[in-house]
Amino acid sequence: MMTTEAIQEGEPSDQFSMFSSQNSKIRYSYNKIREVKSYRVGELFLAYRDILWDDGRHKYNVSSFIGEIDELLLGERFSAFDQSTLDSLIGTLRQRGNSNATINRKMAALSKLLRKAHKMGDIHSLPEFRRQKERAGRIRFLERDEEARLFAAIRSRSEDAYRLSVFLVDSGCRLGEALGLIWNDIQEHRVSFWITKSGRSRTIPMTERVKEVIKLPATEGRRPKGPFTKLSQAQFRAIWNDAKAEVGLGADDQVVPHILRHTCASRLVQGGIDIRRVQMWLGHQTLSMTMRYAHLATNDLDGCVVVLETPRSDQPASGGEASVFSSPVTAPSSPTAVRKQRDEAAAASPKAPRKNSKAK
């Protein structure tokens, strides 16, 4: 029999060797037991932030999200992140006035971090992250006269900022995508975006306005790396805010540079471009993101007005003139019309000679 000392010291006995050889399915390991450590959310973020997120505004936002979550958890250390902790965290964020959309963004950052920590063995269990239901908010976009007034105010402050504004509204790209362009990304009549939020590159044709604004004015000195590399995000936003205040839009918190992307999408949909092409133009990862603009495609519903405004007595009866929505395949027919069509077809077809059944 195996002694207690042998078990404690990890020394296999003769009986153990014989037992293990006769029962080959049972295996015993003498590996060292790994120490279970605990971490704060902030510590995990410091360990993996440069691996999971590229430098830029998004990484800055994620840093803010994780910092807030670490604060709400009171710096608690954990080796397993359970469901009750997650539910409590979401409830606290909602009490703070966070919308479901904001909670989803914060939980997406936390989920990405915890999944990495779990994969690396830092924590040994994960909760179930469920996306909160978001309401479809109103999308603000610029009217033509608003664009003209705003762009004029921007141009009076900076020609480079004006060129960038025109490029953003006609290309629909994100501000970071435009600032990251280099001259090799612009070929003939097309521009390619390689540094994107979704990580997927895309190429779109340029409008005539865009072709003009990507040309730098003749100046002395070294040519910049790209058409808009002279500007930073902070500089452009400062010029934007001054200009929008000048034209009376200062109180509208939705008039931010990203509104130019919404404006481009809205104009495409209102112009009759189908949602799939709009998705490709904007570089949306999922079609659901583009569907936010689908309500602007009202041209397909114009026929409904004709039906509603036409008195019932004036509308064509069944089997008569086709309505604006009738289809030759699915249009219903009355029983009388069906019998009439069958009789007319029978009369028009030649009758086959009757065969004599009697043998000659």
Short mmCIF file of all heavy atoms in Angstrom, two decimals, residues 70-94:
data_model
loop_
_atom_site.label_atom_id
_atom_site.label_comp_id
_atom_site.label_asym_id
_atom_site.label_seq_id
_atom_site.Cartn_x
_atom_site.Cartn_y
_atom_site.Cartn_z
N ASP A 70 -12.63 50.44 -13.03
CA ASP A 70 -11.76 50.12 -11.90
C ASP A 70 -12.17 50.92 -10.67
O ASP A 70 -12.14 50.43 -9.54
CB ASP A 70 -10.31 50.41 -12.28
CG ASP A 70 -9.32 49.76 -11.33
OD1 ASP A 70 -9.65 48.68 -10.79
OD2 ASP A 70 -8.22 50.31 -11.12
N GLU A 71 -12.57 52.17 -10.89
CA GLU A 71 -13.03 53.02 -9.79
C GLU A 71 -14.32 52.48 -9.19
O GLU A 71 -14.47 52.42 -7.95
CB GLU A 71 -13.25 54.44 -10.31
CG GLU A 71 -13.87 55.38 -9.29
CD GLU A 71 -14.46 56.63 -9.93
OE1 GLU A 71 -14.11 56.93 -11.09
OE2 GLU A 71 -15.29 57.28 -9.28
N LEU A 72 -15.27 52.06 -10.03
CA LEU A 72 -16.55 51.54 -9.54
C LEU A 72 -16.37 50.23 -8.78
O LEU A 72 -17.13 49.93 -7.86
CB LEU A 72 -17.52 51.33 -10.71
CG LEU A 72 -17.98 52.60 -11.43
CD1 LEU A 72 -18.89 52.24 -12.59
CD2 LEU A 72 -18.72 53.52 -10.46
N LEU A 73 -15.35 49.45 -9.16
CA LEU A 73 -15.08 48.19 -8.46
C LEU A 73 -14.23 48.40 -7.22
O LEU A 73 -13.86 47.42 -6.54
CB LEU A 73 -14.37 47.21 -9.41
CG LEU A 73 -15.18 46.72 -10.62
CD1 LEU A 73 -14.32 45.87 -11.53
CD2 LEU A 73 -16.40 45.95 -10.16
N LEU A 74 -13.92 49.68 -6.93
CA LEU A 74 -13.14 50.05 -5.73
C LEU A 74 -11.77 49.38 -5.70
O LEU A 74 -11.25 49.03 -4.63
CB LEU A 74 -13.92 49.70 -4.45
CG LEU A 74 -15.33 50.33 -4.33
CD1 LEU A 74 -16.02 49.83 -3.07
CD2 LEU A 74 -15.23 51.84 -4.34
N GLY A 75 -11.21 49.19 -6.89
CA GLY A 75 -9.88 48.59 -6.98
C GLY A 75 -9.83 47.15 -6.51
O GLY A 75 -8.75 46.64 -6.16
N GLU A 76 -10.96 46.48 -6.50
CA GLU A 76 -11.01 45.09 -6.00
C GLU A 76 -10.20 44.16 -6.88
O GLU A 76 -10.22 44.24 -8.11
CB GLU A 76 -12.47 44.63 -5.96
CG GLU A 76 -12.65 43.21 -5.44
CD GLU A 76 -14.09 42.75 -5.49
OE1 GLU A 76 -14.96 43.62 -5.74
OE2 GLU A 76 -14.35 41.56 -5.29
N ARG A 77 -9.48 43.25 -6.22
CA ARG A 77 -8.72 42.24 -6.95
C ARG A 77 -9.56 40.98 -7.12
O ARG A 77 -10.39 40.66 -6.26
CB ARG A 77 -7.43 41.89 -6.19
CG ARG A 77 -6.45 43.05 -6.12
CD ARG A 77 -5.20 42.68 -5.34
NE ARG A 77 -4.21 43.73 -5.40
CZ ARG A 77 -3.32 43.87 -6.38
NH1 ARG A 77 -3.30 43.00 -7.37
NH2 ARG A 77 -2.46 44.87 -6.36
N PHE A 78 -9.34 40.28 -8.21
CA PHE A 78 -10.15 39.09 -8.47
C PHE A 78 -9.36 38.11 -9.30
O PHE A 78 -8.46 38.49 -10.06
CB PHE A 78 -11.44 39.47 -9.20
CG PHE A 78 -11.21 40.21 -10.49
CD1 PHE A 78 -11.04 39.55 -11.69
CD2 PHE A 78 -11.16 41.60 -10.50
CE1 PHE A 78 -10.81 40.22 -12.87
CE2 PHE A 78 -10.94 42.29 -11.67
CZ PHE A 78 -10.77 41.60 -12.86
N SER A 79 -9.68 36.84 -9.13
CA SER A 79 -9.12 35.79 -9.99
C SER A 79 -10.19 35.21 -10.89
O SER A 79 -9.90 34.43 -11.79
CB SER A 79 -8.50 34.68 -9.14
OG SER A 79 -9.47 34.13 -8.26
N ALA A 80 -11.45 35.57 -10.60
CA ALA A 80 -12.59 35.17 -11.43
C ALA A 80 -13.57 36.32 -11.43
O ALA A 80 -13.89 36.88 -10.38
CB ALA A 80 -13.23 33.91 -10.88
N PHE A 81 -14.06 36.68 -12.61
CA PHE A 81 -15.01 37.79 -12.74
C PHE A 81 -16.39 37.17 -12.91
O PHE A 81 -16.72 36.64 -13.97
CB PHE A 81 -14.66 38.65 -13.96
CG PHE A 81 -15.18 40.05 -13.88
CD1 PHE A 81 -14.36 41.10 -13.50
CD2 PHE A 81 -16.50 40.33 -14.18
CE1 PHE A 81 -14.83 42.40 -13.42
CE2 PHE A 81 -17.00 41.62 -14.10
CZ PHE A 81 -16.15 42.66 -13.73
N ASP A 82 -17.20 37.18 -11.85
CA ASP A 82 -18.48 36.47 -11.88
C ASP A 82 -19.60 37.34 -12.45
O ASP A 82 -19.46 38.55 -12.62
CB ASP A 82 -18.85 35.94 -10.50
CG ASP A 82 -18.90 37.04 -9.44
OD1 ASP A 82 -19.28 38.18 -9.77
OD2 ASP A 82 -18.54 36.75 -8.28
N GLN A 83 -20.75 36.69 -12.69
CA GLN A 83 -21.89 37.36 -13.31
C GLN A 83 -22.50 38.42 -12.41
O GLN A 83 -22.94 39.47 -12.87
CB GLN A 83 -22.95 36.32 -13.67
CG GLN A 83 -24.03 36.83 -14.61
CD GLN A 83 -23.50 37.12 -16.00
OE1 GLN A 83 -22.72 36.33 -16.53
NE2 GLN A 83 -23.91 38.23 -16.60
N SER A 84 -22.52 38.18 -11.12
CA SER A 84 -23.10 39.15 -10.19
C SER A 84 -22.30 40.45 -10.18
O SER A 84 -22.88 41.54 -10.06
CB SER A 84 -23.18 38.56 -8.78
OG SER A 84 -21.88 38.25 -8.29
N THR A 85 -20.99 40.34 -10.30
CA THR A 85 -20.15 41.54 -10.35
C THR A 85 -20.45 42.35 -11.60
O THR A 85 -20.55 43.58 -11.56
CB THR A 85 -18.66 41.16 -10.32
OG1 THR A 85 -18.38 40.40 -9.14
CG2 THR A 85 -17.78 42.40 -10.34
N LEU A 86 -20.61 41.66 -12.72
CA LEU A 86 -20.92 42.34 -13.97
C LEU A 86 -22.29 43.01 -13.91
O LEU A 86 -22.44 44.17 -14.32
CB LEU A 86 -20.87 41.35 -15.14
CG LEU A 86 -21.23 41.92 -16.51
CD1 LEU A 86 -20.23 42.98 -16.93
CD2 LEU A 86 -21.29 40.81 -17.56
N ASP A 87 -23.29 42.30 -13.40
CA ASP A 87 -24.64 42.86 -13.31
C ASP A 87 -24.66 44.09 -12.41
O ASP A 87 -25.33 45.09 -12.70
CB ASP A 87 -25.61 41.81 -12.78
CG ASP A 87 -25.80 40.65 -13.76
OD1 ASP A 87 -25.46 40.83 -14.95
OD2 ASP A 87 -26.28 39.58 -13.33
N SER A 88 -23.93 44.02 -11.30
CA SER A 88 -23.86 45.16 -10.38
C SER A 88 -23.18 46.35 -11.05
O SER A 88 -23.60 47.51 -10.88
CB SER A 88 -23.09 44.76 -9.12
OG SER A 88 -22.92 45.87 -8.26
N LEU A 89 -22.16 46.08 -11.84
CA LEU A 89 -21.43 47.14 -12.55
C LEU A 89 -22.33 47.84 -13.56
O LEU A 89 -22.37 49.08 -13.64
CB LEU A 89 -20.21 46.54 -13.25
CG LEU A 89 -19.32 47.49 -14.05
CD1 LEU A 89 -18.75 48.57 -13.17
CD2 LEU A 89 -18.22 46.70 -14.75
N ILE A 90 -23.10 47.06 -14.32
CA ILE A 90 -24.02 47.64 -15.31
C ILE A 90 -25.10 48.46 -14.62
O ILE A 90 -25.46 49.55 -15.07
CB ILE A 90 -24.65 46.51 -16.16
CG1 ILE A 90 -23.59 45.85 -17.04
CG2 ILE A 90 -25.78 47.06 -17.03
CD1 ILE A 90 -24.07 44.66 -17.82
N GLY A 91 -25.60 47.95 -13.50
CA GLY A 91 -26.61 48.70 -12.76
C GLY A 91 -26.10 50.03 -12.25
O GLY A 91 -26.81 51.05 -12.30
N THR A 92 -24.86 50.06 -11.78
CA THR A 92 -24.27 51.30 -11.29
C THR A 92 -24.09 52.31 -12.42
O THR A 92 -24.35 53.51 -12.25
CB THR A 92 -22.92 51.01 -10.62
OG1 THR A 92 -23.09 50.05 -9.57
CG2 THR A 92 -22.33 52.28 -10.02
N LEU A 93 -23.64 51.83 -13.58
CA LEU A 93 -23.48 52.72 -14.73
C LEU A 93 -24.82 53.32 -15.15
O LEU A 93 -24.89 54.50 -15.51
CB LEU A 93 -22.85 51.95 -15.90
CG LEU A 93 -21.37 51.57 -15.75
CD1 LEU A 93 -20.94 50.66 -16.90
CD2 LEU A 93 -20.50 52.82 -15.71
N ARG A 94 -25.87 52.51 -15.10
CA ARG A 94 -27.19 53.02 -15.48
C ARG A 94 -27.68 54.06 -14.46
O ARG A 94 -28.31 55.05 -14.84
CB ARG A 94 -28.17 51.85 -15.59
CG ARG A 94 -29.53 52.26 -16.15
CD ARG A 94 -30.35 51.08 -16.59
NE ARG A 94 -29.88 50.52 -17.85
CZ ARG A 94 -29.43 49.28 -18.01
NH1 ARG A 94 -29.39 48.45 -16.98
NH2 ARG A 94 -29.02 48.84 -19.18
#
